[in-house]
Short mmCIF file of all heavy atoms in Angstrom, two decimals:
data_model
loop_
_atom_site.label_atom_id
_atom_site.label_comp_id
_atom_site.label_asym_id
_atom_site.label_seq_id
_atom_site.Cartn_x
_atom_site.Cartn_y
_atom_site.Cartn_z
N MET H 1 7.49 54.02 45.66
CA MET H 1 7.99 55.35 45.52
C MET H 1 9.50 55.33 45.50
O MET H 1 10.12 54.67 46.31
CB MET H 1 7.55 56.10 46.75
CG MET H 1 6.85 57.42 46.64
SD MET H 1 5.90 57.87 45.27
CE MET H 1 4.34 57.21 45.66
N LYS H 2 10.10 56.05 44.61
CA LYS H 2 11.54 56.14 44.53
C LYS H 2 11.95 57.60 44.65
O LYS H 2 11.24 58.50 44.24
CB LYS H 2 12.05 55.58 43.21
CG LYS H 2 11.89 54.10 43.08
CD LYS H 2 12.48 53.63 41.78
CE LYS H 2 12.31 52.13 41.63
NZ LYS H 2 12.85 51.64 40.38
N TYR H 3 13.13 57.77 45.19
CA TYR H 3 13.74 59.09 45.32
C TYR H 3 15.00 59.06 44.47
O TYR H 3 15.79 58.15 44.58
CB TYR H 3 14.05 59.34 46.79
CG TYR H 3 15.04 60.43 47.07
CD1 TYR H 3 14.66 61.75 47.01
CD2 TYR H 3 16.35 60.13 47.40
CE1 TYR H 3 15.55 62.75 47.29
CE2 TYR H 3 17.25 61.11 47.69
CZ TYR H 3 16.85 62.43 47.63
OH TYR H 3 17.74 63.41 47.91
N LYS H 4 15.15 60.05 43.60
CA LYS H 4 16.24 59.99 42.64
C LYS H 4 16.95 61.34 42.59
O LYS H 4 16.31 62.37 42.46
CB LYS H 4 15.65 59.64 41.28
CG LYS H 4 16.59 59.54 40.15
CD LYS H 4 15.82 59.13 38.91
CE LYS H 4 16.64 59.19 37.67
NZ LYS H 4 15.87 58.89 36.49
N GLY H 5 18.24 61.33 42.73
CA GLY H 5 19.05 62.53 42.56
C GLY H 5 19.97 62.33 41.37
O GLY H 5 20.96 61.63 41.46
N LYS H 6 19.62 62.89 40.23
CA LYS H 6 20.37 62.66 39.01
C LYS H 6 20.34 63.92 38.15
O LYS H 6 19.38 64.67 38.19
CB LYS H 6 19.76 61.49 38.25
CG LYS H 6 20.52 61.09 37.01
CD LYS H 6 19.84 59.93 36.32
CE LYS H 6 20.58 59.57 35.05
NZ LYS H 6 19.86 58.59 34.27
N ASN H 7 21.38 64.10 37.36
CA ASN H 7 21.45 65.23 36.43
C ASN H 7 21.27 66.57 37.12
O ASN H 7 20.64 67.47 36.58
CB ASN H 7 20.41 65.08 35.31
CG ASN H 7 20.68 63.88 34.45
OD1 ASN H 7 21.81 63.44 34.32
ND2 ASN H 7 19.64 63.33 33.86
N GLY H 8 21.75 66.70 38.35
CA GLY H 8 21.67 67.98 39.03
C GLY H 8 20.30 68.32 39.54
O GLY H 8 19.99 69.48 39.69
N ALA H 9 19.44 67.33 39.80
CA ALA H 9 18.10 67.59 40.32
C ALA H 9 17.69 66.48 41.28
O ALA H 9 18.16 65.36 41.18
CB ALA H 9 17.09 67.68 39.18
N VAL H 10 16.81 66.83 42.21
CA VAL H 10 16.21 65.84 43.11
C VAL H 10 14.78 65.64 42.63
O VAL H 10 14.03 66.59 42.49
CB VAL H 10 16.24 66.33 44.57
CG1 VAL H 10 15.51 65.35 45.47
CG2 VAL H 10 17.66 66.54 45.04
N THR H 11 14.42 64.39 42.36
CA THR H 11 13.11 64.07 41.79
C THR H 11 12.46 62.93 42.57
O THR H 11 13.15 61.99 42.97
CB THR H 11 13.28 63.64 40.31
OG1 THR H 11 13.99 64.65 39.61
CG2 THR H 11 11.93 63.43 39.65
N ILE H 12 11.14 63.03 42.77
CA ILE H 12 10.37 61.94 43.37
C ILE H 12 9.67 61.22 42.23
O ILE H 12 8.99 61.84 41.43
CB ILE H 12 9.31 62.45 44.36
CG1 ILE H 12 9.92 63.34 45.42
CG2 ILE H 12 8.60 61.28 45.02
CD1 ILE H 12 8.89 64.02 46.29
N ILE H 13 9.82 59.90 42.19
CA ILE H 13 9.20 59.10 41.14
C ILE H 13 8.21 58.15 41.81
O ILE H 13 8.56 57.39 42.70
CB ILE H 13 10.26 58.29 40.37
CG1 ILE H 13 11.28 59.24 39.75
CG2 ILE H 13 9.61 57.42 39.31
CD1 ILE H 13 12.48 58.54 39.18
N GLY H 14 6.94 58.22 41.38
CA GLY H 14 5.90 57.38 41.98
C GLY H 14 5.26 56.47 40.95
O GLY H 14 5.53 56.54 39.76
N GLU H 15 4.38 55.62 41.44
CA GLU H 15 3.64 54.72 40.56
C GLU H 15 2.34 55.39 40.15
O GLU H 15 1.62 55.94 40.98
CB GLU H 15 3.34 53.42 41.30
CG GLU H 15 4.58 52.64 41.68
CD GLU H 15 4.26 51.42 42.51
OE1 GLU H 15 3.08 51.03 42.58
OE2 GLU H 15 5.20 50.86 43.10
N ASN H 16 2.03 55.35 38.87
CA ASN H 16 0.80 55.89 38.31
C ASN H 16 0.65 57.40 38.47
O ASN H 16 -0.45 57.92 38.39
CB ASN H 16 -0.43 55.19 38.90
CG ASN H 16 -0.41 53.70 38.66
OD1 ASN H 16 0.05 53.24 37.61
ND2 ASN H 16 -0.87 52.94 39.62
N VAL H 17 1.73 58.12 38.73
CA VAL H 17 1.73 59.59 38.77
C VAL H 17 3.00 60.08 38.08
O VAL H 17 3.98 59.36 37.97
CB VAL H 17 1.67 60.15 40.22
CG1 VAL H 17 0.34 59.88 40.86
CG2 VAL H 17 2.79 59.59 41.06
N LEU H 18 2.95 61.32 37.63
CA LEU H 18 4.11 61.89 36.97
C LEU H 18 5.21 62.21 37.98
O LEU H 18 4.92 62.54 39.13
CB LEU H 18 3.71 63.18 36.25
CG LEU H 18 2.75 63.00 35.08
CD1 LEU H 18 2.32 64.35 34.56
CD2 LEU H 18 3.41 62.19 33.98
N PRO H 19 6.49 62.12 37.59
CA PRO H 19 7.59 62.48 38.50
C PRO H 19 7.51 63.95 38.88
O PRO H 19 7.06 64.79 38.10
CB PRO H 19 8.84 62.21 37.67
CG PRO H 19 8.41 61.37 36.54
CD PRO H 19 6.96 61.62 36.31
N VAL H 20 7.97 64.27 40.08
CA VAL H 20 7.94 65.63 40.59
C VAL H 20 9.36 66.06 40.91
O VAL H 20 10.08 65.38 41.64
CB VAL H 20 7.07 65.72 41.87
CG1 VAL H 20 7.13 67.11 42.46
CG2 VAL H 20 5.65 65.31 41.58
N LYS H 21 9.78 67.21 40.35
CA LYS H 21 11.11 67.73 40.62
C LYS H 21 11.05 68.58 41.88
O LYS H 21 10.27 69.53 41.97
CB LYS H 21 11.61 68.56 39.44
CG LYS H 21 13.03 69.03 39.61
CD LYS H 21 13.65 69.38 38.29
CE LYS H 21 13.69 70.85 38.08
NZ LYS H 21 14.38 71.25 36.88
N VAL H 22 11.86 68.23 42.88
CA VAL H 22 11.88 68.94 44.15
C VAL H 22 12.77 70.17 44.05
O VAL H 22 12.38 71.26 44.46
CB VAL H 22 12.36 68.02 45.29
CG1 VAL H 22 12.47 68.77 46.60
CG2 VAL H 22 11.42 66.83 45.44
N CYS H 23 13.99 70.00 43.51
CA CYS H 23 14.90 71.13 43.38
C CYS H 23 16.02 70.80 42.41
O CYS H 23 16.23 69.64 42.07
CB CYS H 23 15.49 71.53 44.73
SG CYS H 23 16.63 70.29 45.37
N ASP H 24 16.72 71.83 41.96
CA ASP H 24 17.93 71.67 41.15
C ASP H 24 19.14 71.74 42.08
O ASP H 24 19.12 72.44 43.08
CB ASP H 24 18.06 72.79 40.12
CG ASP H 24 17.06 72.64 38.99
OD1 ASP H 24 16.84 71.50 38.55
OD2 ASP H 24 16.50 73.66 38.55
N ILE H 25 20.18 71.01 41.73
CA ILE H 25 21.41 71.05 42.50
C ILE H 25 22.50 71.66 41.62
O ILE H 25 22.80 71.14 40.56
CB ILE H 25 21.83 69.65 42.96
CG1 ILE H 25 20.77 69.06 43.88
CG2 ILE H 25 23.18 69.69 43.66
CD1 ILE H 25 21.02 67.64 44.30
N LYS H 26 23.03 72.80 42.06
CA LYS H 26 24.08 73.48 41.31
C LYS H 26 25.25 73.73 42.24
O LYS H 26 25.07 74.26 43.35
CB LYS H 26 23.57 74.81 40.76
CG LYS H 26 22.47 74.63 39.74
CD LYS H 26 22.01 75.93 39.17
CE LYS H 26 20.90 75.68 38.18
NZ LYS H 26 20.30 76.90 37.71
N ASN H 27 26.43 73.36 41.81
CA ASN H 27 27.66 73.54 42.59
C ASN H 27 27.56 72.89 43.97
O ASN H 27 28.04 73.44 44.96
CB ASN H 27 28.01 75.02 42.72
CG ASN H 27 28.28 75.66 41.39
OD1 ASN H 27 28.80 75.02 40.49
ND2 ASN H 27 27.91 76.92 41.25
N GLY H 28 26.90 71.75 44.06
CA GLY H 28 26.79 71.04 45.32
C GLY H 28 25.77 71.63 46.29
O GLY H 28 25.67 71.21 47.42
N ARG H 29 24.99 72.60 45.84
CA ARG H 29 23.97 73.22 46.69
C ARG H 29 22.61 73.01 46.06
O ARG H 29 22.48 73.10 44.86
CB ARG H 29 24.21 74.73 46.84
CG ARG H 29 25.48 75.05 47.56
CD ARG H 29 25.27 74.89 49.05
NE ARG H 29 26.45 75.34 49.77
CZ ARG H 29 27.02 74.64 50.73
NH1 ARG H 29 26.58 73.47 51.07
NH2 ARG H 29 28.05 75.10 51.36
N PRO H 30 21.60 72.76 46.77
CA PRO H 30 21.53 72.59 48.21
C PRO H 30 21.91 71.17 48.63
O PRO H 30 21.87 70.25 47.82
CB PRO H 30 20.05 72.83 48.51
CG PRO H 30 19.35 72.33 47.31
CD PRO H 30 20.27 72.67 46.16
N LYS H 31 22.26 71.02 49.87
CA LYS H 31 22.38 69.70 50.48
C LYS H 31 20.95 69.29 50.82
O LYS H 31 20.15 70.11 51.25
CB LYS H 31 23.22 69.75 51.74
CG LYS H 31 24.62 70.27 51.53
CD LYS H 31 25.46 69.30 50.75
CE LYS H 31 26.88 69.82 50.65
NZ LYS H 31 27.63 69.22 49.59
N VAL H 32 20.62 68.03 50.66
CA VAL H 32 19.24 67.58 50.84
C VAL H 32 19.16 66.55 51.95
O VAL H 32 19.88 65.55 51.92
CB VAL H 32 18.67 66.98 49.53
CG1 VAL H 32 17.24 66.53 49.72
CG2 VAL H 32 18.77 67.98 48.40
N LYS H 33 18.28 66.81 52.92
CA LYS H 33 17.95 65.82 53.95
C LYS H 33 16.52 65.38 53.68
O LYS H 33 15.64 66.20 53.46
CB LYS H 33 18.06 66.42 55.35
CG LYS H 33 19.46 66.71 55.77
CD LYS H 33 19.51 67.15 57.21
CE LYS H 33 20.92 67.43 57.65
NZ LYS H 33 20.98 67.84 59.05
N ARG H 34 16.32 64.08 53.70
CA ARG H 34 15.01 63.54 53.36
C ARG H 34 14.49 62.71 54.52
O ARG H 34 15.23 61.94 55.13
CB ARG H 34 15.13 62.65 52.12
CG ARG H 34 13.85 61.98 51.72
CD ARG H 34 14.06 61.16 50.47
NE ARG H 34 14.97 60.05 50.68
CZ ARG H 34 14.59 58.79 50.79
NH1 ARG H 34 13.32 58.47 50.71
NH2 ARG H 34 15.47 57.84 50.98
N SER H 35 13.20 62.87 54.83
CA SER H 35 12.55 62.01 55.82
C SER H 35 11.19 61.61 55.28
O SER H 35 10.64 62.27 54.41
CB SER H 35 12.43 62.71 57.18
OG SER H 35 11.61 63.83 57.07
N GLU H 36 10.67 60.52 55.81
CA GLU H 36 9.43 59.95 55.29
C GLU H 36 8.55 59.55 56.46
O GLU H 36 9.02 58.97 57.43
CB GLU H 36 9.81 58.72 54.45
CG GLU H 36 8.67 58.07 53.75
CD GLU H 36 9.17 56.91 52.89
OE1 GLU H 36 10.28 56.97 52.35
OE2 GLU H 36 8.40 55.94 52.78
N THR H 37 7.25 59.87 56.37
CA THR H 37 6.28 59.43 57.36
C THR H 37 5.21 58.61 56.64
O THR H 37 5.34 58.34 55.45
CB THR H 37 5.62 60.62 58.09
OG1 THR H 37 4.82 61.34 57.15
CG2 THR H 37 6.64 61.53 58.72
N GLU H 38 4.17 58.25 57.36
CA GLU H 38 3.07 57.48 56.74
C GLU H 38 2.38 58.25 55.62
O GLU H 38 1.99 57.67 54.63
CB GLU H 38 2.01 57.16 57.80
CG GLU H 38 2.24 55.88 58.52
CD GLU H 38 1.08 55.59 59.47
OE1 GLU H 38 -0.07 55.86 59.10
OE2 GLU H 38 1.36 55.10 60.56
N ASP H 39 2.24 59.56 55.80
CA ASP H 39 1.42 60.35 54.89
C ASP H 39 2.20 61.23 53.92
O ASP H 39 1.66 61.65 52.90
CB ASP H 39 0.48 61.25 55.69
CG ASP H 39 -0.44 60.45 56.60
OD1 ASP H 39 -0.84 59.34 56.20
OD2 ASP H 39 -0.73 60.93 57.70
N TYR H 40 3.44 61.56 54.23
CA TYR H 40 4.14 62.52 53.38
C TYR H 40 5.65 62.30 53.38
O TYR H 40 6.21 61.62 54.22
CB TYR H 40 3.82 63.96 53.78
CG TYR H 40 4.20 64.31 55.21
CD1 TYR H 40 5.48 64.73 55.51
CD2 TYR H 40 3.28 64.23 56.24
CE1 TYR H 40 5.85 65.05 56.80
CE2 TYR H 40 3.64 64.55 57.54
CZ TYR H 40 4.93 64.96 57.80
OH TYR H 40 5.29 65.29 59.08
N TYR H 41 6.29 62.93 52.36
CA TYR H 41 7.73 63.01 52.25
C TYR H 41 8.14 64.42 52.65
O TYR H 41 7.49 65.39 52.26
CB TYR H 41 8.21 62.77 50.82
CG TYR H 41 7.93 61.40 50.29
CD1 TYR H 41 6.95 61.19 49.33
CD2 TYR H 41 8.67 60.31 50.72
CE1 TYR H 41 6.70 59.93 48.83
CE2 TYR H 41 8.43 59.04 50.22
CZ TYR H 41 7.44 58.87 49.28
OH TYR H 41 7.19 57.62 48.79
N GLU H 42 9.21 64.55 53.38
CA GLU H 42 9.70 65.86 53.79
C GLU H 42 11.14 66.03 53.33
O GLU H 42 11.97 65.15 53.55
CB GLU H 42 9.62 65.99 55.30
CG GLU H 42 10.12 67.31 55.83
CD GLU H 42 10.01 67.39 57.33
OE1 GLU H 42 8.95 67.79 57.81
OE2 GLU H 42 11.00 67.01 58.00
N PHE H 43 11.42 67.13 52.65
CA PHE H 43 12.76 67.45 52.19
C PHE H 43 13.19 68.75 52.83
O PHE H 43 12.44 69.73 52.83
CB PHE H 43 12.79 67.63 50.66
CG PHE H 43 12.50 66.37 49.92
CD1 PHE H 43 11.21 66.03 49.56
CD2 PHE H 43 13.53 65.51 49.55
CE1 PHE H 43 10.93 64.86 48.87
CE2 PHE H 43 13.26 64.34 48.86
CZ PHE H 43 11.96 64.02 48.52
N ILE H 44 14.40 68.76 53.39
CA ILE H 44 14.98 70.00 53.90
C ILE H 44 16.16 70.32 53.01
O ILE H 44 17.13 69.56 52.94
CB ILE H 44 15.41 69.85 55.37
CG1 ILE H 44 14.19 69.53 56.23
CG2 ILE H 44 16.09 71.14 55.85
CD1 ILE H 44 14.51 69.22 57.67
N LEU H 45 16.05 71.44 52.30
CA LEU H 45 17.09 71.87 51.37
C LEU H 45 17.96 72.88 52.09
O LEU H 45 17.49 73.92 52.53
CB LEU H 45 16.44 72.50 50.13
CG LEU H 45 15.31 71.69 49.49
CD1 LEU H 45 14.64 72.48 48.40
CD2 LEU H 45 15.82 70.37 48.98
N ILE H 46 19.25 72.57 52.23
CA ILE H 46 20.17 73.42 52.97
C ILE H 46 21.09 74.12 51.98
O ILE H 46 21.96 73.50 51.38
CB ILE H 46 20.99 72.59 53.98
CG1 ILE H 46 20.03 71.83 54.91
CG2 ILE H 46 21.95 73.48 54.77
CD1 ILE H 46 20.71 70.77 55.75
N TYR H 47 20.87 75.43 51.82
CA TYR H 47 21.68 76.23 50.90
C TYR H 47 22.90 76.82 51.60
O TYR H 47 23.95 76.95 51.01
CB TYR H 47 20.84 77.35 50.30
CG TYR H 47 19.76 76.83 49.37
CD1 TYR H 47 18.47 76.59 49.84
CD2 TYR H 47 20.04 76.57 48.04
CE1 TYR H 47 17.49 76.10 49.00
CE2 TYR H 47 19.05 76.08 47.18
CZ TYR H 47 17.79 75.85 47.68
OH TYR H 47 16.83 75.36 46.85
N SER H 48 22.74 77.21 52.86
CA SER H 48 23.84 77.72 53.67
C SER H 48 23.45 77.54 55.13
O SER H 48 22.39 77.00 55.44
CB SER H 48 24.10 79.20 53.37
OG SER H 48 23.05 80.00 53.87
N LEU H 49 24.30 78.00 56.01
CA LEU H 49 24.04 77.87 57.44
C LEU H 49 22.74 78.57 57.85
O LEU H 49 22.03 78.12 58.73
CB LEU H 49 25.23 78.44 58.23
CG LEU H 49 25.19 78.28 59.73
CD1 LEU H 49 25.18 76.79 60.10
CD2 LEU H 49 26.38 78.97 60.37
N PHE H 50 22.40 79.66 57.15
CA PHE H 50 21.24 80.46 57.53
C PHE H 50 20.07 80.35 56.56
O PHE H 50 19.02 80.94 56.80
CB PHE H 50 21.65 81.94 57.63
CG PHE H 50 22.77 82.14 58.61
CD1 PHE H 50 24.04 82.42 58.17
CD2 PHE H 50 22.54 82.02 59.96
CE1 PHE H 50 25.08 82.59 59.06
CE2 PHE H 50 23.57 82.19 60.87
CZ PHE H 50 24.84 82.48 60.42
N HIS H 51 20.22 79.62 55.48
CA HIS H 51 19.15 79.52 54.48
C HIS H 51 18.75 78.06 54.29
O HIS H 51 19.49 77.27 53.69
CB HIS H 51 19.62 80.12 53.16
CG HIS H 51 18.56 80.12 52.10
ND1 HIS H 51 18.86 80.31 50.79
CD2 HIS H 51 17.22 79.95 52.14
CE1 HIS H 51 17.75 80.25 50.06
NE2 HIS H 51 16.75 80.02 50.87
N ARG H 52 17.57 77.72 54.80
CA ARG H 52 17.02 76.38 54.65
C ARG H 52 15.59 76.49 54.13
O ARG H 52 14.86 77.40 54.50
CB ARG H 52 16.96 75.65 55.99
CG ARG H 52 18.31 75.35 56.54
CD ARG H 52 18.22 74.77 57.92
NE ARG H 52 19.56 74.60 58.45
CZ ARG H 52 20.05 73.46 58.87
NH1 ARG H 52 19.30 72.38 58.87
NH2 ARG H 52 21.28 73.39 59.31
N VAL H 53 15.21 75.55 53.28
CA VAL H 53 13.86 75.51 52.74
C VAL H 53 13.29 74.13 53.04
O VAL H 53 13.94 73.11 52.79
CB VAL H 53 13.85 75.77 51.22
CG1 VAL H 53 12.45 75.63 50.66
CG2 VAL H 53 14.44 77.13 50.91
N LYS H 54 12.08 74.10 53.56
CA LYS H 54 11.42 72.84 53.90
C LYS H 54 10.27 72.62 52.91
O LYS H 54 9.42 73.49 52.74
CB LYS H 54 10.88 72.91 55.33
CG LYS H 54 10.27 71.66 55.83
CD LYS H 54 9.87 71.88 57.29
CE LYS H 54 9.28 70.67 57.91
NZ LYS H 54 8.91 70.90 59.31
N LYS H 55 10.26 71.47 52.26
CA LYS H 55 9.20 71.12 51.31
C LYS H 55 8.59 69.80 51.75
O LYS H 55 9.30 68.86 52.08
CB LYS H 55 9.74 71.00 49.89
CG LYS H 55 10.19 72.32 49.32
CD LYS H 55 10.52 72.18 47.86
CE LYS H 55 10.84 73.52 47.25
NZ LYS H 55 10.97 73.42 45.80
N ILE H 56 7.25 69.75 51.72
CA ILE H 56 6.52 68.55 52.12
C ILE H 56 5.62 68.14 50.95
O ILE H 56 4.90 68.96 50.40
CB ILE H 56 5.68 68.82 53.39
CG1 ILE H 56 6.60 69.24 54.53
CG2 ILE H 56 4.87 67.59 53.77
CD1 ILE H 56 5.87 69.70 55.77
N TYR H 57 5.66 66.85 50.60
CA TYR H 57 4.88 66.31 49.49
C TYR H 57 4.00 65.16 49.98
O TYR H 57 4.45 64.29 50.72
CB TYR H 57 5.80 65.79 48.38
CG TYR H 57 6.53 66.90 47.67
CD1 TYR H 57 7.76 67.35 48.14
CD2 TYR H 57 6.00 67.50 46.55
CE1 TYR H 57 8.44 68.37 47.51
CE2 TYR H 57 6.67 68.51 45.90
CZ TYR H 57 7.88 68.94 46.38
OH TYR H 57 8.56 69.96 45.75
N ASP H 58 2.73 65.15 49.54
CA ASP H 58 1.80 64.08 49.85
C ASP H 58 2.26 62.80 49.17
O ASP H 58 2.66 62.82 48.00
CB ASP H 58 0.40 64.47 49.38
CG ASP H 58 -0.64 63.42 49.70
OD1 ASP H 58 -0.55 62.80 50.78
OD2 ASP H 58 -1.54 63.22 48.87
N LYS H 59 2.22 61.67 49.87
CA LYS H 59 2.69 60.40 49.30
C LYS H 59 1.82 59.89 48.18
O LYS H 59 2.32 59.31 47.23
CB LYS H 59 2.76 59.34 50.39
CG LYS H 59 4.04 59.30 51.13
CD LYS H 59 4.10 58.08 51.99
CE LYS H 59 5.48 57.88 52.53
NZ LYS H 59 5.60 56.68 53.32
N LYS H 60 0.52 60.07 48.27
CA LYS H 60 -0.40 59.49 47.28
C LYS H 60 -0.40 60.29 45.97
O LYS H 60 -0.42 59.71 44.90
CB LYS H 60 -1.80 59.40 47.86
CG LYS H 60 -1.89 58.43 49.01
CD LYS H 60 -3.26 58.39 49.58
CE LYS H 60 -3.26 57.47 50.80
NZ LYS H 60 -4.51 57.52 51.52
N THR H 61 -0.43 61.61 46.06
CA THR H 61 -0.57 62.43 44.87
C THR H 61 0.73 63.10 44.43
O THR H 61 0.80 63.64 43.33
CB THR H 61 -1.62 63.53 45.10
OG1 THR H 61 -1.16 64.37 46.18
CG2 THR H 61 -2.96 62.95 45.44
N LEU H 62 1.75 63.10 45.28
CA LEU H 62 3.02 63.77 45.05
C LEU H 62 2.85 65.27 44.81
O LEU H 62 3.63 65.90 44.12
CB LEU H 62 3.79 63.15 43.87
CG LEU H 62 4.23 61.72 44.05
CD1 LEU H 62 5.06 61.28 42.86
CD2 LEU H 62 5.04 61.53 45.32
N LYS H 63 1.82 65.85 45.43
CA LYS H 63 1.62 67.30 45.36
C LYS H 63 2.20 67.94 46.60
O LYS H 63 2.14 67.38 47.69
CB LYS H 63 0.14 67.64 45.23
CG LYS H 63 -0.42 67.18 43.91
CD LYS H 63 -1.74 67.76 43.65
CE LYS H 63 -2.19 67.24 42.29
NZ LYS H 63 -3.32 67.91 41.79
N GLU H 64 2.75 69.14 46.43
CA GLU H 64 3.36 69.84 47.55
C GLU H 64 2.30 70.34 48.52
O GLU H 64 1.28 70.90 48.11
CB GLU H 64 4.20 71.01 47.06
CG GLU H 64 5.01 71.66 48.16
CD GLU H 64 5.98 72.69 47.65
OE1 GLU H 64 6.01 72.96 46.45
OE2 GLU H 64 6.71 73.24 48.50
N ILE H 65 2.54 70.12 49.80
CA ILE H 65 1.64 70.58 50.86
C ILE H 65 2.21 71.89 51.37
O ILE H 65 3.38 71.96 51.73
CB ILE H 65 1.57 69.55 52.00
CG1 ILE H 65 1.04 68.22 51.47
CG2 ILE H 65 0.71 70.07 53.14
CD1 ILE H 65 1.16 67.10 52.48
N LYS H 66 1.40 72.89 51.43
CA LYS H 66 1.86 74.22 51.92
C LYS H 66 1.75 74.32 53.40
O LYS H 66 0.90 73.84 54.04
CB LYS H 66 1.03 75.34 51.29
CG LYS H 66 1.18 75.40 49.78
CD LYS H 66 2.49 75.98 49.41
CE LYS H 66 2.66 75.98 47.91
NZ LYS H 66 3.75 76.61 47.44
#
C-alpha cells in the first residue's frame, strides 16, 4: 500500500484495487495527519482550528468506513 500526495490531492494506492482519492489540497488546506493500524488507514484532515474531518479506509478493499 502506498500513500501519495501529488497534484493537489491525497490518494491511497493499493495492489489489485483502484486508487482512492481521499481529498483535494487547495492553498495548503487541509493539512493531513495519517495513521495506520492492522485493519485500516485513518486520515485526519485539518482545515482550520475548529474544522477537522476524520476519514477511515479499510486496508483490504480501500473502501471508506463510516
